[in-house]
Amino acid sequence: MKNTENIISSYLDCRYKSYLKLTSKNGEKHLLQEKYDNDILEYTGKFKEFLIRNKKSILVFDDNSNPVEIVKTKANEYFFNTFLKKDVYEGTVIIKKSIDNCEVKFSPVLIIGEQKIKDKHKILLAYYSYVIQLLFSSTTDYGEIIYNKPITVKKISFKRFVPKIVPLINEIRKVFENNDQYFLLNKHCKICEYNKICKQKAIELDHLSLITTIKEKDILGFCMMKMERIIFFWENKIL
């Protein structure tokens, strides 16, 4: 099982959505999601323009013949966009390489199609840092997020989110192995590409999350109590 940034991002929206992504289910993109994706492309282009104004962009190739775009902005700074593959991760990442007092450091860059930075973006940035640490054995406690119109570059500290990364990866494994326990309709559903799939599943299960006034923690608590009763019944039946 590979954790790409798409699966991590999906998990932060909805745990069951990450399962659907892992199993390559086809969905139907909401107009807002399409706008978000288009904004990322626009922001990416604007960010590259911003970098290229500082220094000419050069296209080179890595050892696996994958194209890597290098942009040099200062004597001690490089941005490069490359495909990484290591352990639980594979995907394309923008990385900033900096040299400070002969020490080489790598930090992640995240481009989002939104006007505000949320905790989920900082967690995703911390996840990138985790992968970079695995690959280069060198990283920092901060990264950069590109967002907003006009383009804004903000330095972000994600130190407090780093301890959450390994538990998050383990949790995604649990979702993959026991996906039905994590099924739940939530606020994200109205703009999710899997809206129709999950709505139909909820109707078939007569799921409690169809009742919008019930809170998620109450539904999960009820499901846990129900599971405990089933286990208790079978244990006593066997005895």
Side-chain angles (χ1 to χ4, degrees):
M1 182 189 73
K2 291 291 181 182
N3 287 323
T4 67
E5 65 269 30
N6 203 9
I7 293 168
I8 295 289
S9 181
S10 295
Y11 175 86
L12 296 173
D13 288 329
C14 170
R15 285 169 290 187
Y16 191 75
K17 181 180 179 181
S18 66
Y19 164 73
L20 295 175
K21 284 287 184 184
L22 277 164
T23 52
S24 303
K25 290 287 185 182
N26 292 320
E28 184 178 333
K29 276 192 177 181
H30 191 278
L31 289 175
L32 287 176
Q33 184 62 48
E34 288 185 357
K35 181 182 182 302
Y36 178 82
D37 292 343
N38 289 334
D39 282 346
I40 288 180
L41 290 175
E42 179 186 345
Y43 293 0
T44 301
K46 295 290 185 184
F47 180 55
K48 286 182 180 178
E49 289 174 9
F50 168 78
L51 295 178
I52 291 170
R53 280 198 299 269
N54 289 274
K55 193 72 178 179
K56 186 177 178 181
S57 177
I58 305 168
L59 187 65
V60 298
F61 293 86
D62 64 14
D63 294 339
N64 297 317
S65 298
N66 294 316
V68 182
E69 189 169 20
I70 303 288
V71 181
K72 182 178 179 181
T73 56
K74 298 179 182 177
N76 63 340
E77 277 187 6
Y78 294 85
F79 287 84
F80 60 98
N81 184 31
T82 186
F83 181 83
L84 301 179
K85 188 172 182 179
K86 176 73 175 181
D87 297 341
V88 298
Y89 177 84
E90 59 181 31
T92 302
V93 183
I94 299 176
I95 300 174
K96 177 181 177 180
K97 176 184 176 182
S98 57
I99 304 172
D100 185 17
N101 294 326
C102 297
E103 183 182 359
V104 179
K105 294 183 179 180
F106 298 91
S107 57
V109 178
L110 175 65
I111 300 177
I112 62 172
E114 296 188 31
Q115 306 299 309
K116 294 182 179 179
I117 296 173
K118 303 174 183 176
D119 276 356
K120 65 171 283 186
H121 301 133
K122 296 177 184 179
I123 292 173
L124 195 54
L125 203 63
Y127 176 70
Y128 284 147
S129 177
Y130 168 78
V131 176
I132 292 170
Q133 178 70 36
L134 291 177
L135 284 160
F136 300 111
S137 299
S138 175
T139 187
T140 61
D141 293 329
Y142 67 89
E144 293 177 2
I145 293 183
I146 317 302
Y147 71 110
N148 209 355
K149 292 181 181 180
I151 293 301
T152 303
V153 181
K154 188 168 184 179
K155 186 175 179 179
I156 299 291
S157 172
F158 47 74
K159 190 173 183 179
R160 70 185 179 94
F161 294 103
V162 172
K164 299 180 180 181
I165 300 305
V166 172
L168 186 150
I169 293 171
N170 292 334
E171 188 67 20
I172 290 177
R173 289 197 180 98
K174 291 179 183 178
V175 174
F176 183 73
E177 295 166 359
N178 305 286
N179 59 89
D180 281 340
Q181 292 182 21
Y182 295 88
F183 176 77
L184 188 77
L185 298 182
N186 60 32
K187 292 179 181 179
H188 178 72
C189 292
K190 60 185 178 182
I191 62 169
C192 182
E193 63 195 277
Y194 300 117
N195 180 290
K196 292 181 180 178
I197 293 174
C198 292
K199 191 66 178 290
Q200 183 59 39
K201 182 180 178 70
I203 292 171
E204 290 173 359
L205 295 173
D206 194 23
H207 201 272
L208 280 173
S209 59
L210 286 167
I211 305 172
T212 56
T213 54
I214 300 181
K215 295 180 180 179
E216 178 179 346
K217 64 178 183 178
D218 295 329
I219 294 173
L220 293 175
F222 175 82
C223 292
M224 184 63 69
M225 183 174 62
K226 184 178 179 181
M227 183 61 67
E228 288 173 352
R229 286 182 178 178
I230 292 172
I231 293 171
F232 176 80
F233 171 78
W234 281 106
E235 284 179 346
N236 282 275
K237 186 176 180 181
I238 291 170
L239 292 172

